Amino acid sequence: KISLGVELHCRCIQTERKPIGRHIEKVELIPASSHCEETEIIATLKRTGQEVCLDPEAPWVKKVIQRILSKK
Amino acid sequence: KISLGVELHCRCIQTERKPIGRHIEKVELIPASSHCEETEIIATLKRTGQEVCLDPEAPWVKKVIQRILSKK
């Protein structure tokens, strides 16, 4: 679900549909740029280290990010 | 301003005070965990690739993140 290699293009091909909030180790936010027209959000999962793309428009994704930001 | 190595401890030692919103290539959000009691936000700057820690409590940091999320 993620393409590898240099970031001269979009990295996300598909986004995860099911909420995975509790298993996130970190979240990368990549603003839209000349390399990729869309904002990309890539979560790294705990334990497996698997990277999954999240949909910036999905309400549960916004909530996950707000929850991370609201904790000290 | 960032310690290197495995992430078994907090990575941020200091946070950036001046707003750097326009020069951000990506932002990593690292939720608080057993490895680090605080939420950490690490921005990678365009061109230099330099990593800087941002203060999750700073209003300008929250704005930068909202701006990234609100763009398609």
Side-chain angles (χ1 to χ4, degrees), chain A residues 59-71, chain B residues 29 62 65-66 69:
Chain A
W60 72 267
V61 172
K62 291 178 194 280
K63 270 184 213 160
V64 163
I65 290 165
Q66 298 316 326
R67 201 193 313 144
I68 294 172
L69 292 177
S70 65
K71 282 186 192 157
Chain B
L29 308 178
K62 291 178 192 283
I65 290 165
Q66 297 316 327
L69 292 177

Side-chain angles (χ1 to χ4, degrees), chain B residues 22-35:
Chain B
R22 299 201 167 277
H23 305 97
I24 290 174
E25 185 180 300
K26 67 173 184 180
V27 177
E28 265 180 83
L29 308 178
I30 307 168
S33 71
S34 55
H35 300 325

Side-chain angles (χ1 to χ4, degrees), chain B residues 1 6-8 10-15 19 25 27 31-33 38-39 41-44 57 59 62 64-65 70 72:
Chain B
K1 289 177 187 168
V6 213
E7 295 162 46
L8 294 177
C10 296
R11 288 172 66 191
C12 293
I13 296 158
Q14 277 192 308
T15 56
E25 185 180 300
V27 177
S33 71
E38 308 199 21
T39 296
I41 301 183
I42 302 175
T44 303
E57 310 277 304
K62 291 178 192 283
V64 162
I65 290 165
S70 65
K72 278 197 186 170

